[in-house]
Amino acid sequence: MHTQRLTLTLTALASAGLLLTACGTESGAGSDSGSGSGSEGRSVESEVPLTGIRWNVDSVTVGGKKYEAPDDAHLKIGKDGRAGGSFGCNYAGVAVKIKGDTLDFGKATMTKRACPEGLMTFEENLTRALAGEKLTAKADGDRLTLTTAEGDRVDLTSGPGKPGTPLTGTKWTVHTVGDGKSAAPLPKDVSGKAHLTFGKDGKARGNLGCNDVTAKAEAKAAGKAGAKEGRITLGAPTTTRKMCPGDTMATERKLLKLFDGTARYDVERDTLKLTAADGTVIDARAATS
């Protein structure tokens, strides 16, 4: 799998700073990172801010072939010389130098989340387009285009992104289980079977890959403005008693770690991330049918 381990923390990025030039007039060097080793980029005069904005990726074109972006692909650029966001499935961090209307991205470091083949193909092409060579930025209203000398391009639109799928009432199909640092897809005989639904009646129901499960569930949204993660308290699970193959039982034991305790949850677009008290991380996606 062509992914790398995330080695930097994606934090709240600066809300002001480097500006995208429309006329090429520079206003002087900046050194906001405080490194003392020179500016990562320069402040320039423009009506269109480049940093502190969520840029939703619309598409990437590499080698003359256009790839439409997944729903959550986005990028934020900070005036500290760092950029980060979702490349379609995995989260990435990357150094970036900005001079005038030119952006020079370094090599991206990414989480190791397992992704469907289509998402992996998009991530590989987006990574290639950003890190291959310097890109020229052109802005038109809320649209931004990054283009290489070879003609590869990334098309983006500023905005908050689509709202997340509701936690309650959605059938969440489990795709990966891990420990927060790495994740593995479910075994083939379990893939597509494990799922959970949090009902409005205060119950969680679903399947662990073989056995059905039911438990009390009480969800609380993030209490502070701007906070992403909520909490969900799951009661002791009640399950059926089917005999299951070894891989299936191993998956069920991991999923059962969610129950009889409080887990953190985060919904972004159609993806749900659940983190159990012991650090087990479960990624699920909203079922399409």
Side-chain angles (χ1 to χ4, degrees):
M1 183 165 297
H2 303 287
T3 55
Q4 299 172 294
R5 185 171 179 177
L6 183 64
T7 58
L8 60 91
T9 302
L10 300 179
T11 57
L13 298 173
S15 60
L18 301 174
L19 299 178
L20 179 64
T21 181
C23 60
T25 303
E26 296 185 0
S27 64
S31 184
D32 294 302
S33 65
S35 64
S37 59
S39 169
E40 291 284 351
R42 294 176 179 231
S43 295
V44 293
E45 297 295 339
S46 172
E47 296 179 356
V48 182
L50 178 60
T51 61
I53 301 293
R54 176 184 168 119
W55 293 104
N56 298 307
V57 181
D58 298 322
S59 65
V60 58
T61 303
V62 175
K65 185 174 181 180
K66 184 177 181 180
Y67 300 86
E68 296 296 332
D71 280 347
D72 191 44
H74 68 276
L75 188 69
K76 288 185 179 180
I77 303 171
K79 64 178 181 179
D80 60 352
R82 294 288 185 181
S86 170
F87 277 21
C89 178
N90 281 287
Y91 282 82
V94 60
V96 58
K97 295 180 181 179
I98 305 176
K99 184 175 182 181
D101 63 353
T102 301
L103 290 83
D104 188 2
F105 288 90
K107 186 177 182 180
T109 53
M110 304 175 71
T111 55
K112 297 180 68 177
R113 180 180 182 183
C115 311
E117 184 176 352
L119 294 183
M120 289 304 304
T121 298
F122 179 83
E123 288 192 350
E124 290 165 5
N125 283 289
L126 178 57
T127 302
R128 174 182 168 185
L130 291 179
E133 55 183 284
K134 294 181 180 180
L135 298 106
T136 300
K138 291 184 180 180
D140 182 10
D142 63 349
R143 297 186 179 277
L144 176 68
T145 302
L146 305 177
T147 309
T148 71
E150 299 296 324
D152 293 344
R153 60 184 284 167
V154 182
D155 292 295
L156 311 97
T157 305
S158 64
K162 296 179 182 179
T165 303
L167 172 70
T168 304
T170 300
K171 180 180 178 181
W172 296 102
T173 301
V174 178
H175 282 261
T176 66
V177 179
D179 60 5
K181 297 180 180 179
S182 63
L186 301 190
K188 290 183 179 180
D189 57 351
V190 184
S191 180
K193 297 180 181 179
H195 63 86
L196 289 171
T197 300
F198 303 100
K200 295 181 180 179
D201 60 353
K203 295 279 189 179
R205 299 175 178 87
N207 185 277
L208 302 172
C210 177
N211 283 290
D212 294 333
V213 63
T214 304
K216 291 183 179 180
E218 182 181 357
K220 292 184 179 180
K224 296 181 179 180
K228 292 179 61 180
E229 291 186 335
R231 298 289 186 274
I232 183 163
T233 300
L234 295 167
T238 299
T239 67
T240 54
R241 300 287 185 177
K242 295 179 183 178
M243 296 298 293
C244 310
D247 285 347
T248 303
M249 288 306 300
T251 299
E252 291 201 355
R253 284 193 291 270
K254 292 177 182 178
L255 296 178
L256 283 169
K257 292 180 180 180
L258 277 174
F259 296 88
D260 206 10
T262 299
R264 303 193 306 273
Y265 77 86
D266 177 27
V267 177
E268 191 164 341
R269 297 286 183 99
D270 63 347
T271 300
L272 169 66
K273 177 181 177 182
L274 291 162
T275 306
D278 73 339
T280 298
V281 177
I282 295 169
D283 283 326
R285 292 192 180 89
T288 57
S289 60

